[in-house]
Amino acid sequence: MGAMLDAPWNGVVFTPPTAIDIATIEDAIVNQLRSQINSIEIAHYPDRPETWRLTHRVGAALVMYKGAQYGELLETAAIIQERKLEFEIAIMMRDLGWAVGGDPSGPSPGAYAIIEGIRTALTGYRIPGCRQMYPVREKFVKRDKQGGVWTYASTFALSTVAVEASQPDGFPLFVKGIALEEGGQTSITVGAAAYTFNSNQQVQLPQVNVFAVSITGPGGGSLIQGTDFSVDRASGIVTAIPGGAISAGDTVQIAYTYGEEVIATTGQSEPTN
């Protein structure tokens, strides 16, 4: 009895499908906005903002990590916490979308249209390893009178899990496994044979996974399990119970039934009986 494997099984090491560090999340947000909005420049917030200039004729949206909040500890054996991260999109547009008294649907999108487009693109967006994004706030920041640029900020949040770094134990994923048949499908009956209890008042039967053990004592009478002896079914060991009818050195007749066992070991292509 056993299951056949196509090839030796050496175990599987599971790793997160996508890293959930800040840079990876920000990259995903930028790529999502670029895939949904093509009328303005979409980029990461510049490392040196004092030297950055808006050169796009319509506007730009710059993505920046704003910070995180950590929740209560979720585990006692390791540091596991909910981590809520916030990202801000700075929206810089050359107009609001219309001139004074003009039609809102002008020749180029304005700040209001881009704010709504960003909200639509990111609300419900899910990065692997994180919960769905959701908007937190929108606000007007300033208007650069010299450059004629309207600046707004939209903040979005998402949650993930922060887990302490740990070192693997170095144990093999699988060394050896023993399966014992319990349903009686492979039961084999062994007739009565003589066995002698050792100095520890035990008998080791030739098979394991035993049941239906019956013992005839030295005097020819049947002994009672639970009163005269006990049986470790998995290991096939019969032990005399103190105060019962068996003592160390006694020879008795033992009959029993056993079920098959299957042993699987690392590197084997199939288990053995």
Side-chain angles (χ1 to χ4, degrees):
M1 183 184 73
M4 299 294 295
L5 303 179
D6 295 331
W9 185 72
N10 296 317
V12 178
V13 177
F14 293 93
T15 56
T18 303
I20 51 175
D21 58 281
I22 297 170
T24 300
I25 294 175
E26 188 172 302
D27 278 342
I29 294 172
V30 170
N31 292 333
Q32 170 68 1
L33 291 176
R34 286 174 176 170
S35 70
Q36 301 297 315
I37 301 173
N38 56 21
S39 55
I40 63 172
E41 177 186 0
I42 306 290
H44 297 273
Y45 203 86
D47 184 57
R48 299 179 62 186
E50 67 276 5
T51 64
W52 185 85
R53 294 292 181 270
L54 175 61
T55 58
H56 196 280
R57 69 175 186 84
V58 178
L62 306 179
V63 181
M64 181 176 65
Y65 172 63
K66 293 293 291 184
Q69 293 180 334
Y70 290 82
E72 298 293 331
L73 292 176
L74 302 178
E75 178 59 60
T76 58
I79 304 301
I80 302 176
Q81 297 170 276
E82 182 182 24
R83 183 189 189 194
K84 186 176 79 171
L85 302 93
E86 290 191 354
F87 290 84
E88 183 177 278
I89 295 88
I91 304 165
M92 288 163 281
M93 302 297 296
R94 298 196 183 278
D95 57 64
L96 294 179
W98 63 83
V100 176
D103 189 344
S105 57
S108 64
Y112 295 166
I114 294 301
I115 289 173
E116 293 297 343
I118 290 174
R119 180 184 60 80
T120 301
L122 295 184
T123 299
Y125 175 56
R126 183 171 184 177
I127 299 169
C130 304
R131 290 177 178 169
Q132 291 174 292
M133 294 191 71
Y134 58 91
V136 176
R137 71 184 69 87
E138 296 167 350
K139 65 178 181 179
F140 168 72
V141 178
K142 66 177 181 178
R143 182 178 185 273
D144 179 6
K145 296 181 179 179
Q146 183 177 0
V149 176
W150 296 84
T151 302
Y152 285 82
S154 294
T155 303
F156 290 81
L158 53 78
S159 295
T160 184
V161 176
V163 183
E164 70 169 317
S166 62
Q167 296 296 324
D169 294 327
F171 298 127
L173 295 180
F174 179 84
V175 178
K176 181 179 181 180
I178 300 176
L180 303 179
E181 192 274 315
E182 294 183 346
Q185 299 299 314
T186 63
S187 59
I188 301 171
T189 300
V190 178
Y195 297 90
T196 301
F197 282 85
N198 60 25
S199 59
N200 293 324
Q201 297 188 345
Q202 291 182 332
V203 167
Q204 174 66 67
L205 297 175
Q207 280 79 30
V208 297
N209 193 24
V210 300
F211 55 96
V213 177
S214 62
I215 300 179
T216 302
S222 297
L223 304 184
I224 301 173
Q225 184 172 344
T227 300
D228 300 313
F229 66 93
S230 62
V231 179
D232 184 332
R233 291 187 54 189
S235 63
I237 296 177
V238 180
T239 302
I241 295 177
I246 311 172
S247 302
D250 285 350
T251 299
V252 297
Q253 297 289 318
I254 302 179
Y256 60 93
T257 300
Y258 70 93
E260 287 189 347
E261 67 171 350
V262 176
I263 302 174
T265 307
T266 302
Q268 288 183 320
S269 60
E270 61 183 74
T272 60
N273 294 108

